Amino acid sequence: MNIIVHRLTSVSSTNDAALRMAADDVPEGTVVVAREQTSGRGRLGRAWASPPGDGLYLSIILRPSIAFDCVWQIAFVAAVAAAKAVRRVSGLIPGIKWPNDLLLNGRKVGGILVEARPDAEALVVVVGIGLNVGNTAFPPEIAETATSITLESGRPVSVEQAEDVLVASFEKVYSAYLREGFGLLLAEWREFDCTAGRQVSVVSGGADVKGTAEGVDDSGSLLVRTVDGVVSVSAGEVVMRE
Ligand code: BT5
């Protein structure tokens, strides 16, 4: 994959910019990085706090030869790549909270938003990754749940350094996934899984599944042992209970 980075000072969302560029036939490996996002997006219409200065906001354009119904695997690829990058720059071992939140010491340090468009020729996938790098404060609504690499590690990591490590990590993990398949990647994902074994409550399509998380199955669904047996959850929000 040939990496070409486009740097923007400010943009609504790097995913929006990347989706627009992808429609113009830019090659796989094109990366959009912005210093700030004015409407950074999370999943399901949620916002991603994206102030200028201390956060990394980037999107990578991919054109993988995979079926549309395997696109969720790319979010797992991104989570493993980002977890390895955070481990490298912080010296700490991050956790992945299903499906793809990145945590340091139980607080959210990064998030992943994968969006796909079935193009006329081939599939286009945009992988958006947000990482809190040097942030020392957060908006009140996430002050209790968010953290940054610097806050947890005490290391003065720059956004540029985090970007370099993250892009290199993504390139490596993504090409291994294309070469070796999803099995190996899932094994790596499981090594970072911080949900397994925990008491969880999963809100999924209006239902609330409570029990012990037992990891993910081969289709990326979360397995929860409830009083009625093991339930497989394909989408939802996990709240970890003490
Ligand atoms: C995510 O959504 O975690 C995906 C975030 C992806 C952001 C990147 S930045 C580059 C690219 N361009 C974009 O526009 N987006 C991507 P979700 O799982 O829905 O989590 C959103 C929730 O995380 C919010 O509702 C808040 O509770 C919390 N949150 C928001 N901003 C945060 C931040 N900077 N750090 C930690 N938590 C945050």
Side-chain angles (χ1 to χ4, degrees):
M1 186 165 70
N2 201 10
I3 300 287
I4 304 161
V5 181
H6 292 254
R7 287 174 203 290
L8 308 172
T9 309
S10 179
V11 69
S12 57
S13 151
T14 54
N15 265 39
D16 291 344
L19 284 165
R20 278 195 300 273
M21 288 168 75
D24 285 340
D25 280 347
V26 297
E28 168 161 275
T30 302
V31 179
V32 181
V33 187
R35 295 295 286 166
E36 81 165 333
Q37 298 184 117
T38 52
S39 313
R41 293 191 281 116
R43 295 172 302 137
L44 307 168
R46 290 185 288 245
W48 185 255
S50 312
D54 302 313
L56 174 61
Y57 319 110
L58 68 75
S59 299
I60 308 171
I61 296 172
L62 304 176
R63 299 182 183 280
S65 307
I66 60 171
F68 189 70
D69 61 7
C70 289
V71 165
W72 62 270
Q73 295 180 350
I74 303 287
F76 277 59
V77 170
V80 168
K84 287 184 166 181
V86 169
R87 183 175 65 188
R88 176 98 187 266
V89 295
S90 69
L92 303 171
I93 299 187
I96 301 176
K97 182 182 140 215
W98 183 89
N100 43 40
D101 278 359
L102 283 176
L103 306 187
L104 272 180
N105 297 326
R107 289 176 172 238
K108 189 157 170 173
V109 71
I112 288 156
L113 174 67
V114 172
E115 295 178 300
R117 299 273 181 277
D119 197 281
E121 314 277 288
L123 182 65
V124 174
V125 180
V126 167
V127 178
I129 305 174
L131 274 187
N132 302 322
V133 181
N135 314 52
T136 50
F138 294 95
E141 62 277 15
I142 55 168
E144 299 297 315
T145 55
T147 194
S148 72
I149 290 169
T150 294
L151 277 176
E152 298 302 325
S153 69
R155 291 188 184 178
V157 178
S158 72
V159 175
E160 291 74 15
Q161 188 189 349
E163 177 195 317
D164 288 349
V165 173
L166 178 60
V167 171
S169 174
F170 187 87
E171 204 179 352
K172 202 167 161 190
V173 174
Y174 177 62
S175 48
Y177 157 74
L178 292 179
R179 212 175 42 240
E180 320 275 347
F182 187 62
L184 210 65
L185 186 277
L186 188 56
E188 290 196 294
W189 190 97
R190 286 178 172 136
E191 284 175 27
F192 288 104
D193 182 3
C194 63
T195 320
R198 301 283 303 266
Q199 291 299 307
V200 295
S201 178
V202 193
V203 180
S204 170
D208 192 0
V209 182
K210 283 190 170 59
T212 309
E214 293 201 330
V216 293
D217 65 15
D218 293 347
S219 62
S221 294
L222 179 68
L223 300 172
V224 183
R225 179 166 295 279
T226 71
V227 285
D228 302 319
V230 176
V231 175
S232 154
V233 185
S234 62
E237 285 304 309
V238 172
V239 177
M240 293 203 245
R241 301 184 286 151
E242 292 317 314

